[in-house]
Amino acid sequence: RLTFRRFDETDLPHWLGMLGKLKNIHFERCVFQCGQLPLGGTAVWFERCRFGKSWAVTMGKNPEALMEPGDPLYNDCRFAATVSLRGHEIDEETLGLYDIVFENCKMKSLYVAGLTLNARLYRGFQRVPDLFNPDRHGAPNDLDDFLAISTVFKKEFNLSCLHIQEAHISSCIFEDVVNLSSFVCERLNFDSCNMNSRVDIGHVHAKNVSVRDCHFKRSVIFDFSAMDVLLFNTSSFEQILSLEYSEIGDCIAISSCAMGKPPNFLNCRLADDAIQNADRETFRIIKNAFDGVGNNIEANRYFSYEMNAYLKELRQSSKGHRAERWLLELNRTISDHGQ
């Protein structure tokens, strides 16, 4: 085994000429001060290495790579800046020979674009989450930022138990399970994505979760999560959307979504601000879901929220509706809309 202690930009041409002649290289405890290592068809592994600059994953075609099943491409590595995987720099078939790309790695940001990924992307440090401990937001991030654009994820997409500042996922297709359970983040955005398998975002602690123009083919689980803002815009759900035992602090919106099955809001707690900020249609959808399972107590409670939101609409409307508004005001005063 050869150990290369340090690579920097001035050494790179010399090393590429020599290393490019090898078929397989295992880098262990190396320090890289360059931005990439384009070795063509050489199969590589990185273990306990350090990367001092932004790093681009590059990979040429090597269908005869000699890795063992379960091998990660990067194992227990530390990246000081952004790591990128771009489709035009990577042979997708060769990358798919690895079981996972990053295992037990820490980096500032991770950027994935224009790629069909046949390996699992990331597996972080497994820790026991303490969901409702506010000090969790002070814990070190595994990633500051995660960005995925126009990527097809063929294997399980797993960012569970990670601390991430912001995650933005746009125009992606997920063929296997999406697992973000026990995920901690400031902001999580899904935009124009297709989820073809189950989505587990349970036990999540997030300030802002936004889902826009997405299609969910299987169940979507947000159970036991705590979120300040949860917005679903013009998205469709073929199976159930579940927020059982979740907490919403500031705002929730599902009014513009198509629901193939009634959502599950059993024991979901909306804070006062969330009740004030939600629209009437959101309350109607939740009310009808409780009606459908015969939970009249919860259905009546959300009917009250629905009528209060409707009254708020009438108060803000420039049109008349004076008689209707007067009746709602009277009903609210007498019985809080039948409560």
Side-chain angles (χ1 to χ4, degrees):
R1 173 179 295 174
L2 298 176
T3 300
F4 301 91
R5 292 297 182 190
R6 185 182 182 92
F7 290 88
D8 58 33
E9 299 289 355
T10 58
D11 296 329
L12 192 57
H14 171 74
W15 287 120
L16 290 180
M18 181 179 69
L19 299 177
K21 301 180 184 300
L22 303 176
K23 288 188 176 181
N24 299 274
I25 305 174
H26 181 193
F27 295 100
E28 185 175 356
R29 298 181 184 273
C30 296
V31 177
F32 294 85
Q33 294 296 338
C34 52
Q36 59 179 343
L37 199 63
L39 290 174
T42 301
V44 293
W45 301 262
F46 299 88
E47 186 173 0
R48 288 176 284 180
C49 295
R50 301 295 179 266
F51 301 81
K53 297 184 177 182
S54 291
W55 181 259
V57 176
T58 58
M59 184 167 295
K61 190 173 184 62
N62 186 356
E64 299 178 355
L66 300 177
M67 67 273 299
E68 294 292 331
D71 276 347
L73 177 55
Y74 297 90
N75 184 21
D76 197 16
C77 293
R78 300 294 178 269
F79 300 86
T82 299
V83 180
S84 62
L85 290 87
R86 299 181 178 90
H88 66 277
E89 296 175 326
I90 294 173
D91 181 74
E92 296 171 348
E93 182 181 356
T94 302
L95 183 59
L97 296 175
Y98 296 88
D99 178 64
I100 191 166
V101 182
F102 302 101
E103 183 164 26
N104 292 337
C105 293
K106 188 172 178 61
M107 60 195 71
K108 184 174 178 61
S109 302
L110 179 57
Y111 172 58
V112 184
L115 186 65
T116 296
L117 192 57
N118 290 294
R120 290 179 294 164
L121 178 64
Y122 196 101
R123 180 165 57 224
F125 301 97
Q126 299 302 306
R127 51 176 157 246
V128 177
D130 183 10
L131 176 59
F132 295 106
N133 179 2
D135 293 335
R136 293 191 72 202
H137 279 294
N141 291 326
D142 297 295
L143 288 169
D144 283 350
D145 301 290
F146 174 77
L147 176 62
I149 300 174
S150 302
T151 295
V152 179
F153 295 92
K154 293 284 191 179
K155 297 289 183 67
E156 178 188 14
F157 179 78
N158 190 335
L159 298 181
S160 62
C161 298
L162 294 188
H163 293 220
I164 296 181
Q165 188 75 10
E166 294 193 6
H168 300 275
I169 302 169
S170 178
S171 302
C172 292
I173 298 173
F174 298 86
E175 299 289 0
D176 207 333
V177 171
V178 175
N179 184 358
L180 301 182
S181 60
S182 303
F183 185 74
V184 177
C185 70
E186 293 287 318
R187 183 178 297 271
L188 172 63
N189 293 336
F190 285 98
D191 188 2
S192 303
C193 294
N194 287 328
M195 318 290 195
N196 294 327
S197 190
R198 179 173 55 85
V199 177
D200 184 359
I201 314 182
H203 296 273
V204 162
H205 200 303
K207 286 192 174 180
N208 189 306
V209 178
S210 175
V211 179
R212 185 171 70 91
D213 295 334
C214 292
H215 178 74
F216 298 90
K217 195 169 185 177
R218 303 299 181 196
S219 57
V220 182
I221 308 299
F222 277 89
D223 296 349
F224 297 94
S225 292
M227 297 161 283
D228 290 343
V229 176
L230 178 61
L231 304 177
F232 291 100
N233 295 312
T234 57
S235 294
S236 58
F237 300 83
E238 292 189 28
Q239 301 295 325
I240 193 168
L241 166 66
S242 180
L243 285 96
E244 190 168 341
Y245 285 100
S246 288
E247 297 184 5
I248 310 297
D250 293 333
C251 186
I252 180 172
I254 58 174
S255 56
S256 60
C257 295
M259 299 285 181
K261 292 187 176 181
N264 174 22
F265 277 78
L266 184 64
N267 294 311
C268 179
R269 179 182 175 273
L270 304 185
D272 291 343
D273 286 345
I275 294 171
Q276 290 297 318
N277 294 327
D279 59 69
R280 174 166 57 113
E281 182 64 14
T282 292
F283 292 133
R284 188 192 68 81
I285 292 172
I286 300 173
K287 176 202 70 178
N288 288 344
F290 282 119
D291 264 336
V293 295
N295 190 334
N296 296 325
I297 294 176
E298 290 298 304
N300 289 339
R301 182 159 67 94
Y302 279 93
F303 173 74
S304 174
Y305 296 159
E306 178 189 357
M307 291 299 100
N308 285 331
Y310 184 34
L311 181 57
K312 184 179 178 180
E313 288 178 19
L314 294 178
R315 288 170 176 170
Q316 295 172 347
S317 175
S318 59
K319 298 180 180 180
H321 303 294
R322 183 174 300 176
E324 189 172 5
R325 187 175 68 185
W326 184 84
L327 288 173
L328 283 173
E329 294 275 14
L330 180 63
N331 192 26
R332 180 187 182 190
T333 302
I334 294 174
S335 66
D336 192 17
H337 305 294
Q339 293 302 295

